[in-house]
Every structure is written in structure tokens, then in C-alpha cells.
Amino acid sequence: MIFPTVRNRRLRRTSALRSMVRETVLSANDFIYPIFVTYGHNIKEEIPSMPGVYHFSLDRLEEEIRETVAAGIQSVLLFGIPETKDALGTSAYDANGIVQQAIRAVKEWAPELVVVADTCLCQFTDHGHCGIVHVHEETGIAEVDNDSSLDLLVQTAVSQAEAGADIIAPSNMMDGFVLAIREGLDDAGYSDIAILSYSVKFASAYYGPFRDAAHSAPQFGDRKTYQMDPANVREALREAESDIAEGADMLMVKPALAYLDIVRLLKDKYHLPVAAYNVSAEYSMVKAAAANGWIDERSIVLETLTGMKRAGADLIITYHAKDAALWLKGAGEANE
């Protein structure tokens, strides 16, 4: 059957019809909201490269958590900016570290909120890398030592679980990190704590504003020896398969926008939930364009997040979460 018998526009005629046949539905339940916590008092400090995103001291964090819950968001991802840093990132696995304190506080204020703890060392090391750095005596070349870093990552994960984290999200990209953390959590009595693995994390240019926010830029070199080459697809599948075999409960692709093909591949090939991280530069570019009046922020954000879900993301980590949740509450179509 062809035109004029077939008229595809028939089901687009009204808003109600479009809603009836809509294939992908975005909701606040899809969002995980990243929050940056820091030491100090009465701090709510906007991050210059990420308008609308703030550093919160613990005494100002409750108001943000209350707003998050009121918006209908069910999960937050906590990042911490420590008071001190050292070569081993010891404040990452301190029982009274900034993330651990924040986890306990959030679970007290909002017990029903799912708290995800980022598990990495880069914010806590003075060199800004995601593991222990060793310098070769003969060559003088510094590199991140994979195997010796695993123990510190396990200590970090266990301390976060002890504080009350519901999900551990290791982002370090060390080989074997999921297995090490799974065994460490199980041995410590936290076999019911899930792991959301940063399975496919690319060495991306889209992380710049985050590194400003987390004060985590590497002090030398880059992270290309442990984060993935943006050009590789088969390698992404190998990384995901490794994490599944090691006990990951959920998989993540980071960044999202330039890698939606990877999101779809993981969704089609595996049976675990897939998360897409709508990262800092993706957020900041939208904010900059909106501030200049070049785009309709609401429409762009909702269309972008819908695209991520349509590509296969079961969960979306996004700095737009609060705004998007409130816009979705307001009903109507993003593009009408």
C-alpha cells in the first residue's frame, strides 16, 4: 500500500495522538543527578564552567537533596572535593572522608533516595591520576600502576558501602577493577551492594568542565593509557564483557552524545541495565548556547535526553536532571 492510501501524518495530527503512539517516554525515574560536595561551611558556590551546578558544603547539601527529591528524582551520584590530597589518595577511603560523610547525611535526610558513590582516586591524589603512580628508576617515566591501585579502590568502595551507599560506581578504568571491588565488597559483608561500572569510558575532550568542578585534572600526562581510544568499538565490547564476567550489575557508557552507537551496541548485546553519562561539556555547551539566546534550552535538553533513552540508555546521569524533571512535570511535548 502506498500514498494516498498510506498517510503517515494521520497519527501526528494532534498532541493526544502523538502521545498515544510515542515509542520512547522520558521520565524523572531515568535520571541520576550528580552532586559535588566539599568541605567548609555555608558554601553553595557555582562552578564557572557549569552554570547551575554548585559545590555544596555539608551544611548546605540538605537543601539540594530536598529539591532533588521534590523534583521526583530517585538517585544521586556523589563526588567529593577533599580537604587534603596526597600521592595515595588516602582521603578517598577515609571513613570520615567527604564522600562518606555526604552519603551518611543523604541517607539520613532521604532514606528512600538511591545513593551512588563514584569510586575513583583522581579527585583525592595530588597528581590527579586514577591510581598509584610509579616512576621507573631507569627511564624516569611515571605511569599508573594497575595492580597496586586495585587495593586502594577496594578500600574506597568498602568505606562507601559502610557509609550507606546503595550503588558503587567505579570510574577508574583499571583492568580487573570490577572483580577486585566485587570480592572486596562480598568479603566485607556487602554482597547486596550493586556495582554500576564505568565499563566504557573514553579518553574524551568532553570532561573539561568536570575536571574544573572536581579539581581532578592530571598534573602530568593524560589518561589515555587507561581510558579508551574514542575511535574503538570492538574494544568497548571487550571492556563490557570483562566487567560482566567480573560481576558488574550495570554498565555505563561515558560520554553519551558522541557514543550513542556504543550505547545501542551494549543494549542489544547484553542483558544488564545500561547507563549513559551526559557529561560536563555536553551540559556546558547547551548552557552557553542558551545563555546567548541561540537555542531553546528546554526543548534541546529534553530532545537530547530522549535521544539517549531511545539509543538504549536505561539510566541517564545528567546535570540537567533537576530542570528536566521539573519540565517533564509541566507536561506538554518538548518540541511543540
Side-chain angles (χ1 to χ4, degrees):
M1 303 287 279
I2 58 172
F3 178 85
T5 304
V6 174
R7 291 182 180 270
N8 292 315
R9 289 179 55 186
R10 291 187 186 114
L11 298 181
R12 303 174 194 155
R13 189 167 52 85
T14 68
S15 177
L17 282 169
R18 290 190 293 275
S19 295
M20 285 177 61
V21 299
R22 184 163 296 129
E23 299 172 29
T24 303
V25 179
L26 189 68
S27 86
N29 294 341
D30 302 321
F31 302 148
I32 299 174
Y33 183 41
I35 299 176
F36 296 94
V37 187
T38 189
Y39 282 98
H41 298 283
N42 196 31
I43 294 173
K44 181 181 178 181
E45 182 178 74
E46 190 172 43
I47 298 161
S49 58
M50 299 178 69
V53 178
Y54 298 84
H55 288 130
F56 292 95
S57 55
L58 289 171
D59 59 332
R60 294 293 302 273
L61 180 60
E62 184 174 4
E63 62 189 88
E64 181 73 350
I65 295 300
R66 299 294 183 197
E67 289 181 9
T68 300
V69 172
I73 296 166
Q74 299 191 51
S75 181
V76 294
L77 171 59
L78 297 179
F79 294 97
I81 293 83
E83 202 166 26
T84 60
K85 301 186 179 192
D86 59 35
L88 298 179
T90 54
S91 55
Y93 39 91
D94 185 338
N96 290 310
I98 187 63
V99 172
Q100 289 79 358
Q101 290 187 55
I103 293 169
R104 288 192 289 268
V106 171
K107 295 306 287 186
E108 180 181 342
W109 298 324
E112 74 284 1
L113 197 63
V114 175
V115 175
V116 185
D118 179 77
T119 305
C120 196
L121 301 179
C122 61
Q123 299 108 283
F124 304 94
T125 56
D126 52 15
H127 47 72
H129 280 282
C130 302
I132 296 174
V133 171
H134 285 162
V135 179
H136 291 279
E137 293 183 4
E138 295 182 2
T139 64
I141 296 174
E143 67 177 16
V144 176
D145 186 271
N146 190 96
D147 295 6
S148 64
S149 300
L150 295 178
D151 181 59
L152 301 186
L153 294 166
V154 170
Q155 291 182 53
T156 302
V158 170
S159 72
Q160 292 168 340
E162 287 174 343
D166 299 290
I167 298 173
I168 298 300
S171 59
N172 53 86
M173 288 296 285
M174 297 295 112
D175 288 339
F177 70 104
V178 172
L179 178 61
I181 289 172
R182 182 70 275 156
E183 290 180 344
L185 289 171
D186 291 354
D187 290 345
Y190 297 105
S191 59
D192 57 342
I193 299 300
I195 296 176
L196 166 56
S197 175
Y198 286 67
S199 298
V200 184
K201 183 177 180 180
F202 290 91
S204 172
Y206 282 93
Y207 302 151
F210 174 89
R211 292 178 181 177
D212 289 340
H215 304 162
S216 63
Q219 299 303 299
F220 64 88
D222 53 43
R223 296 176 179 151
K224 293 181 179 178
T225 62
Y226 46 101
Q227 294 179 359
M228 279 186 50
D229 185 336
N232 292 354
V233 175
R234 293 192 300 273
E235 184 183 4
L237 296 178
R238 293 200 303 272
E239 288 283 1
E241 287 169 358
S242 295
D243 287 358
I244 292 169
E246 292 175 15
D249 299 285
M250 295 176 277
L251 308 174
M252 187 194 302
V253 176
K254 180 181 180 182
L257 273 180
Y259 302 93
L260 293 180
D261 59 323
I262 308 297
V263 173
R264 173 47 59 186
L265 280 172
L266 265 59
K267 179 72 169 182
D268 289 345
K269 189 172 178 64
Y270 308 116
H271 300 290
L272 296 183
V274 177
Y277 199 143
N278 179 208
V279 297
S280 58
E282 296 169 359
Y283 171 88
S284 296
M285 289 189 294
V286 169
K287 284 294 195 180
N292 280 282
W294 298 335
I295 61 171
D296 178 332
E297 181 179 354
R298 175 186 181 276
S299 295
I300 288 286
V301 168
L302 294 181
E303 182 177 343
T304 299
L305 297 178
T306 298
M308 292 174 187
K309 187 169 183 183
R310 189 185 64 246
D314 300 288
L315 302 166
I316 302 171
I317 303 167
T318 178
Y319 303 97
H320 295 292
K322 269 204 316 183
D323 286 340
L326 293 172
W327 290 330
L328 290 169
K329 274 187 175 183
E333 295 185 13
N335 294 314
E336 294 221 77

